Amino acid sequence: KETLIERRVLDGTPEDLRVAYAEAKAGKVIFKRWLDQMPMATKRHLPAPKAPRIGEAFMDRVIIGAGGKRLTKIEADEHRGRNADYLVQDAVIELKDLQEEGLLVTTRQERLAQLLRPLASGTEYASLSPGNLSETQWFEYIDILGRPIQNQVKSAAKQLKVSRAKLGSSRGGVIFLNTGYSSVPHELFDAMVHRYCTKDTRQVDFAISVSSWLLTNGFESEYFVAFHPREGGCAVVSAIRESFWKEEERLMAEWAGRGFLQDGEM
């Protein structure tokens, strides 16, 4: 991002970089990288920073703060199959956590490549954007990315059905945590959760989506948390949302108080 001085590019620069500069000036896209051999390069490589994971133990505290509880063994009725996790007021709730990056699955990569290949143009590079897909292609794109979410919704529906029958509960809900599927932005993640909860089951009366992610360049880091719905919803959703942000604030304060140590569930 420095100011370009052409004379300095051409004077004393290695031949391959002068050629690359001429080609870039003519309109070709060029990308080159090299390592600065700084004294620190010989030192032990430090691991990338991480932030505390919003997981099951964290959500247990959130539910308690919202006036709810985890189902007891008697309430769970394990003989009838897998059950939901929580009871808040009159609603049974199942917690799901996506901790893995869905785009690392080879078959999903292949399906996406097949879908996006017609968008590719040029012989040296391709600019691909889901925004260029037709409506039919867009829903195919969503179904490819959303298969892990869809599978978890179907699993949650079975668990809610068991617990609702056991407890005579009139409502069922799901809380989806996205702590690993980082290639899916939160807004899209929330949209997919609600799509499958509406399309694939009648057991889910409300859904909550939570995403957490950390961006770093190795020197500076920024931690993000998103909760949806941001406002409104039934009394159960409102209670969980209020408790969630209180617990998140407490978690960050405790982490800072420990000097941002990279310990525990990160």
Side-chain angles (χ1 to χ4, degrees), residues 82-97:
R82 298 178 60 199
N83 54 274
D85 290 312
Y86 304 117
L87 179 65
V88 180
Q89 298 179 23
D90 64 331
V92 289
I93 301 172
E94 172 60 17
L95 176 68
K96 295 296 184 183
D97 187 0

Side-chain angles (χ1 to χ4, degrees), residues 13 21 26-27 42 45-46 49 51 58 62-63 66 84 88 96 101 116 134 146 171 183-184 194 198 200 219 232 262:
T13 302
Y21 171 71
T42 60
H45 176 67
L46 296 176
F58 176 90
V62 169
I63 293 299
V88 180
K96 295 296 184 183
E101 174 51 63
L116 298 173
S134 67
R171 290 190 292 168
S183 58
V184 176
H194 281 80
T198 302
D200 293 340
F219 294 95
Q262 302 288 285

Side-chain angles (χ1 to χ4, degrees), residues 163-178:
S163 293
R164 290 178 71 168
K166 167 66 176 179
L167 302 175
S169 177
S170 60
R171 290 190 292 168
V174 293
I175 301 174
F176 266 85
L177 306 180
N178 182 7

Side-chain angles (χ1 to χ4, degrees), residues 28 35 44 66 103 119 122 140 146 177 182-183 233-234 263 265:
K28 183 177 180 180
L35 299 176
R44 180 176 62 86
L103 287 189
L119 301 182
E140 183 179 352
L177 306 180
S182 302
S183 58
C234 64
D263 59 353
E265 189 179 14

Side-chain angles (χ1 to χ4, degrees), residues 42 81 84 90 105 115 160-161 167 171 192 206 232 240 257 260:
T42 60
D90 64 331
V105 178
L115 174 66
L160 290 173
K161 185 175 182 180
L167 302 175
R171 290 190 292 168
M192 289 194 288
F206 61 87
I240 293 175
F260 301 104

